[in-house]
Amino acid sequence: MKELDLYSFVFRGTLAEEALDKEGRLKYSPEAIYFSEEVAKKLFLHEIDEKYVQQSKSMITVFTAITAFENATREFVYSILFDAYKNDWWEKGVQSGIKEKAETRKETESKIKWHISRGDAMMSFLEFGDLPKIICSQNNWQFFEPYFSFNGAPEWIKSIFSDLEKSRNVIMHSGILDDFDIARVGLNIRDWLHQINA
């Protein structure tokens, strides 16, 4: 390409960018991927003090990561239990105390007809902290061990979930994590995924 042609090409590109900006083009931002102005209007977000909205927006991506991790882990635990116990996975694979708590939660929520429920899947009614207990239980460990065949694996699993639960609880109760906590969340998720997907 000749120097004059290159100059012309760059200049036309600059003019096109300016024209798009003048027409109100939305610039890319990571927040835009997860934040919906349409949903924000339905939630009357514009009526809440902007400083609280901005603080909460800073946690959107962290909330997404933790929620996705939790749902993926529920599916992982369910799939291992179902492979091991088939249709008896709930009866044989989940400890009685955890089972009773989840069944009570499901029954209580079923009485609230005006609100959508978590669904029919019993895995949805477990607490986040129940997942490592189920994985590391004496009856189930043999089925999960192939994914964690290293010394101290049960303690490592409990530590991963304990760290993540601390951060999860801060976000779920409207708190804000600092950069160190966010980095810890990311490292825990990465380490877990590398371990079970290797």
Side-chain angles (χ1 to χ4, degrees):
M1 187 178 274
K2 294 179 186 174
E3 190 174 321
L4 188 58
D5 290 342
L6 181 59
Y7 173 80
S8 175
F9 175 77
V10 171
F11 184 68
R12 284 195 310 268
T14 303
L15 290 175
E17 293 285 332
E18 287 176 4
L20 287 169
D21 289 340
K22 282 181 184 174
E23 290 300 315
R25 169 181 66 166
L26 295 176
K27 297 210 176 198
Y28 168 80
S29 83
E31 173 191 302
I33 295 172
Y34 301 106
F35 187 80
S36 165
E37 290 293 342
E38 183 181 335
V39 174
K41 286 177 186 172
K42 292 177 184 176
L43 296 170
F44 296 90
L45 203 58
H46 61 281
E47 294 188 18
I48 301 173
D49 189 321
E50 184 62 20
K51 75 178 178 183
Y52 300 117
V53 173
Q54 289 308 317
Q55 283 177 349
S56 300
K57 280 183 177 182
S58 72
M59 291 293 104
I60 289 173
T61 307
V62 184
F63 172 83
T64 302
I66 291 174
T67 303
F69 171 84
E70 183 171 348
N71 288 329
T73 304
R74 287 176 191 277
E75 181 62 31
F76 169 72
V77 170
Y78 168 76
S79 67
I80 300 297
L81 294 178
F82 190 81
D83 283 349
Y85 302 114
K86 303 301 180 220
N87 289 331
D88 293 330
W89 71 271
W90 182 250
E91 288 305 316
K92 293 182 177 177
V94 181
Q95 299 94 304
S96 59
I98 295 173
K99 216 170 7 202
E100 288 166 15
K101 203 169 43 172
E103 288 167 354
T104 299
R105 186 175 292 117
K106 183 177 182 183
E107 183 182 340
T108 300
E109 290 185 16
S110 73
K111 295 174 184 172
I112 303 169
K113 307 288 187 194
W114 54 267
H115 198 281
I116 192 166
S117 76
R118 302 178 198 208
D120 293 326
M122 287 309 300
M123 288 299 293
S124 301
F125 294 91
L126 296 174
E127 292 179 0
F128 184 78
D130 292 334
L131 299 174
K133 292 174 187 171
I134 292 169
I135 292 170
C136 298
S137 74
Q138 190 173 359
N139 290 341
N140 295 333
W141 180 244
Q142 61 183 314
F143 305 115
F144 290 96
E145 190 175 17
Y147 294 90
F148 307 101
S149 55
F150 58 88
N151 287 336
E155 291 74 25
W156 178 81
I157 292 167
K158 291 171 189 171
S159 173
I160 290 275
F161 278 83
S162 175
D163 283 353
L164 284 170
E165 188 165 25
K166 286 178 181 68
S167 295
R168 176 191 183 275
N169 291 345
V170 168
I171 290 178
M172 298 302 175
H173 293 279
S174 308
I176 307 296
L177 299 177
D178 66 18
D179 288 343
F180 291 108
D181 293 322
I182 292 170
R184 188 180 304 109
V185 168
L187 289 173
N188 280 320
I189 290 175
R190 182 205 63 183
D191 289 351
W192 175 266
L193 293 175
H194 284 195
Q195 187 62 41
I196 67 167
N197 294 321

